[in-house]
Amino acid sequence: MLVLLPPSEGKASSGRGASLKLESLSLPGLTEARAAVLGELVELCAGDEDKARDVLGLSEGLRGEVAKNAGLLTAGARPAGEIYTGVLYDALDLASLDAAAKRRAGRSLLVFSGLWGAVRVTDKIPSYRCSMGVKLPGLGALGVYWRTPMAEVMPEAAGDGLVLDLRSSAYAAAWKPKGEVAGRTATVRVLHAPTRKVVSHFNKATKGRIVRSLLTAGAAPKSPAELVEALRDLGYVVEVEPPKGAGKAWSLDVLVDEIH
């Protein structure tokens, strides 16, 4: 099972670890593309601060993020699972998983990123600010930029098993499963059962809990149909919309009564 996650806007500090080594990151086929984005981002943020803030869409109160980006080449690097914070990652709470569940997380979780393309939670990265919606002056819109390199590496990363896609739309734009990979991909919406509406905060929190539940249970569904069974066994209320044709993903709605 491969689980695709969005990153978080909020991130922990880089800490005092060794600096980034691009060649050590997972999905080595992305190294050249990562180097290009990293180089332009550092150059942008080391120059005109106001221009960098405008390009990155940062408010006055987030000026410090520009300086942080300017120092990415020498900043300390920590496992991505420690860098990403926010609602989904708080609910997932990787640090409190037992050893076996942590190993499963390292194998199965892939976090999409405007800067890195995608990284595993065990990959060591510095704290940064660069969303998939950013349009860099030289490389253009990152959601478009990443499509070609991601199309080359993701089919192999997906292997021959289930792909559980929990990304937000901005990050889903960087890679869309196609063909037989799409047929074994499941996307998930979390709906407030009484209103049938998506509520952003508890949508993210519930997705984090879903991933945690699967990891702690040692669940290993090999198909979207098996995923539905696994989630129901774990106590989730799931409605299913099978694909309407070849090369289409499954759509799952998880219904939650309480918003928390």
Side-chain angles (χ1 to χ4, degrees):
M1 177 175 64
L2 183 67
V3 182
L4 310 182
L5 297 174
S8 58
E9 288 292 330
K11 298 176 183 70
S13 63
S14 293
R16 298 182 179 180
S19 59
L20 171 73
K21 293 181 175 59
L22 276 181
E23 67 278 5
S24 72
L25 299 181
S26 301
L27 307 182
L30 298 178
T31 300
E32 184 177 343
R34 288 167 174 152
V37 178
L38 178 63
E40 183 169 351
L41 181 64
V42 170
E43 182 178 0
L44 171 70
C45 292
D48 186 323
E49 185 180 88
D50 288 331
K51 178 182 178 181
R53 193 160 57 84
D54 182 61
V55 169
L56 296 174
L58 301 177
S59 66
E60 175 68 29
L62 293 173
R63 278 184 176 272
E65 299 294 281
V66 175
K68 181 167 72 175
N69 282 349
L72 283 173
L73 297 178
T74 56
R78 297 167 58 187
E82 297 177 12
I83 291 290
Y84 294 117
T85 59
V87 176
L88 187 154
Y89 292 91
D90 285 347
L92 174 53
D93 196 8
L94 286 167
S96 70
L97 293 173
D98 63 33
K102 284 180 179 177
R103 287 193 294 272
R104 288 190 284 270
R107 293 192 300 266
S108 63
L109 306 188
L110 198 63
V111 184
F112 273 59
S113 162
L115 176 52
W116 315 114
V119 291
R120 297 195 183 277
V121 293
T122 52
D123 285 333
K124 292 184 177 181
I125 59 173
S127 184
Y128 67 96
R129 189 70 172 238
C130 184
S131 72
M132 193 66 81
V134 164
K135 185 176 182 179
L136 292 174
L139 296 176
L142 292 177
V144 176
Y145 170 81
W146 281 113
R147 287 176 188 169
T148 296
M150 295 300 283
E152 294 174 356
V153 304
M154 282 304 300
E156 181 178 354
D160 58 4
L162 169 70
V163 178
L164 174 54
D165 190 351
L166 301 178
R167 297 173 296 167
S168 55
S169 58
Y171 291 89
W175 180 65
K176 183 177 181 180
K178 296 181 179 179
E180 63 88 19
V181 179
R184 48 187 168 85
T185 296
T187 62
V188 173
R189 293 191 308 173
V190 180
L191 302 181
H192 182 217
T195 64
R196 310 291 296 189
K197 292 181 179 179
V198 174
V199 181
S200 178
H201 179 93
F202 96 101
N203 172 57
K204 294 175 183 177
T206 302
K207 286 180 177 179
R209 294 187 193 105
I210 285 171
V211 176
R212 183 180 177 86
S213 296
L214 292 168
L215 292 172
T216 55
K222 296 180 174 59
S223 68
E226 289 186 13
L227 173 64
V228 172
E229 291 182 10
L231 291 176
R232 287 173 175 165
D233 287 345
L234 289 167
Y236 292 95
V237 179
V238 184
E239 294 181 351
V240 187
E241 185 177 335
K244 296 180 179 179
K248 302 291 185 180
W250 289 54
S251 298
L252 311 184
D253 285 342
V254 175
L255 306 183
V256 181
D257 288 324
E258 297 182 4
I259 299 177
H260 59 92

